[in-house]
């Protein structure tokens, strides 16, 4: 079975999904995906078409079609992360495309209380709330889980696999100047995120040796989004195939920079 690691329907019980590790089925099972926090009261504004994704890839400086990729979040060399624009936002939601505008995943916020949603709807106090996100594959099954505990200063993001096994942490190293984050796995720094200007729109993603292996580029979200929402768009480009845990940390980074920075700026 030549299938990427992830959650897939359990043949033994359709109420559950089972984790495939890329080689074999594991004993790990869980109920089908957790309910998203998104509600009908959050009025979404439009969508993203193929031409718009192509423009975002161009603006990110991607020259032509990048070869490689297996059609999944953990194999594609270019990921286009678009936050859903909402007039009233009580939860974070994103759609992820490949460079050809094929929908390959989503990100949904989960686990918020009713009080937290109300606080988000009427204030700009996002940093004082815990944030839990699921990065889901094409089938809507959780591939990665991200948790950012509430903070008043530096942020830390916990990254787990879909089966709940810890991968590592994305730790903010500074507050002033060009922001930096460290990828920490099993207590060791395996790379990091480095902003290239004080506004922190573009980021260099580096391995433990300081070599850039990927980039995150913020692209213009369009007039409607800019005027009426705080939704942002990012392009994540990998220069080469990198092994886990670094690959999973890079995929998580496309959402982390928005959750930690843009949402805090409100």
């Amino acid at each position: 079975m030549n299938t990427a690691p992830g959650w897939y329907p359990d043949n033994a019980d359709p109420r559950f999904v089972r984790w495939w590790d890329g080689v074999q089925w594991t004993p790990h099972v869980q109920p089908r995906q957790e309910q998203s926090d998104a509600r009908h009261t959050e009025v979404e504004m439009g969508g993203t078409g193929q031409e718009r994704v192509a423009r975002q890839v161009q603006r990110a400086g991607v020259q032509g079609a990048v070869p490689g990729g297996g059609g999944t979040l953990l194999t594609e060399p270019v990921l286009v992360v678009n936050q859903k624009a909402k007039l009233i936002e009580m939860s974070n939601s994103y759609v992820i495309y490949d460079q050809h505008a094929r929908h390959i995943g989503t990100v949904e916020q989960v686990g918020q209380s009713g009080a937290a949603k109300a606080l988000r709807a009427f204030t700009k106090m996002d940093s004082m709330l815990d944030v839990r996100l699921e990065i889901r594959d094409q089938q809507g099954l959780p591939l990665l889980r991200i948790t950012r505990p509430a903070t008043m200063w530096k942020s830390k993001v916990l990254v787990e696999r879909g089966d709940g096994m810890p991968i590592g942490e994305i730790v903010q190293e500074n507050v002033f100047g060009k922001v930096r984050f460290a990828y920490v796995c099993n207590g060791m720094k395996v790379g990091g995120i480095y902003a290239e200007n004080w506004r922190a729109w573009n980021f260099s993603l580096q391995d433990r040796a300081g070599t850039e292996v990927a980039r995150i580029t913020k692209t213009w979200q369009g007039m409607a989004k800019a005027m009426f929402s705080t939704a942002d768009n990012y392009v994540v480009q990998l220069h080469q195939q990198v092994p886990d845990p670094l690959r999973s940390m890079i995929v998580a980074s496309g959402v982390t920079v928005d959750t930690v920075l843009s949402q805090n700026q409100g």
Side-chain angles (χ1 to χ4, degrees):
M1 185 175 178
N2 187 19
T3 304
W7 289 105
Y8 296 94
D10 186 4
N11 291 331
D13 191 333
R15 296 173 302 171
F16 293 86
V17 291
R18 185 175 296 273
W19 183 258
W20 170 259
D21 66 8
V23 178
Q24 61 186 353
W25 293 108
T26 71
H28 302 295
V29 296
Q30 68 172 6
R32 296 182 76 92
Q33 70 182 49
E34 189 172 350
Q35 180 67 41
S36 166
D37 284 346
R39 292 292 182 267
H40 66 277
T41 51
E42 301 177 82
V43 182
E44 292 187 17
M45 302 164 53
T48 303
Q50 186 170 4
E51 292 184 1
R52 186 170 296 179
V53 170
R55 287 197 298 271
Q56 292 176 55
V57 173
Q58 275 187 332
R59 288 170 181 155
V62 179
Q63 302 298 321
V66 180
T72 72
L73 292 170
L74 294 180
T75 58
E76 283 295 324
V78 178
L79 304 175
V80 182
V81 183
N82 283 190
Q83 186 178 6
K84 294 181 182 178
K86 304 170 183 178
L87 290 176
I88 303 173
E89 184 180 69
M90 293 181 287
S91 63
N92 295 358
S93 300
Y94 307 79
V95 181
I96 305 177
Y97 305 89
D98 68 7
Q99 61 188 312
H100 307 294
R102 292 184 293 236
H103 176 213
I104 59 173
T106 57
V107 184
E108 296 291 346
Q109 186 166 359
V110 298
Q112 287 190 109
S113 66
K117 293 174 189 175
L119 188 65
R120 287 201 59 184
F122 300 107
T123 74
K124 299 295 183 181
M125 302 174 68
D126 293 17
S127 64
M128 297 177 63
L129 303 171
D130 290 351
V131 176
R132 292 175 54 211
L133 302 170
E134 286 187 350
I135 299 180
R136 299 173 177 174
D137 63 16
Q138 302 98 313
Q139 288 76 42
L141 301 174
L143 185 65
L144 298 171
R145 288 190 168 96
I146 299 173
T147 302
R148 191 215 65 192
T151 180
M152 290 294 292
W153 196 239
K154 295 179 182 178
S155 290
K156 178 171 68 174
V157 177
L158 313 179
V159 183
E160 300 176 334
R161 300 193 192 283
D163 60 358
M165 293 294 292
I167 297 176
E169 300 176 348
I170 303 176
V171 182
Q172 188 173 348
E173 295 185 310
N174 67 320
V175 175
F176 304 106
K178 299 177 182 179
V179 68
R180 302 186 310 274
F181 298 85
Y183 295 141
V184 179
C185 299
N186 294 322
M188 297 181 60
K189 184 174 179 178
V190 300
I193 309 172
Y194 299 86
E196 296 189 335
N197 52 64
W198 74 274
R199 292 285 295 175
W201 297 140
N202 301 320
F203 302 83
S204 171
L205 310 186
Q206 302 176 9
D207 62 15
R208 72 176 70 199
T211 301
E212 180 176 293
V213 294
R215 294 186 63 79
I216 297 177
T217 305
K218 182 177 178 179
T219 57
W220 191 53
Q221 64 267 54
M223 185 62 72
K225 280 188 177 183
M227 290 180 64
F228 300 108
S229 78
T230 59
D232 292 315
N233 300 333
Y234 295 88
V235 174
V236 183
Q237 181 184 6
L238 284 92
H239 305 319
Q240 61 195 62
Q241 286 294 333
V242 294
D244 262 339
L246 187 56
R247 172 75 198 210
S248 292
M249 301 295 272
I250 289 172
V251 172
S253 297
V255 179
T256 295
V257 293
D258 181 67
T259 301
V260 173
L261 297 178
S262 289
Q263 297 301 308
N264 286 0
Q265 292 168 5

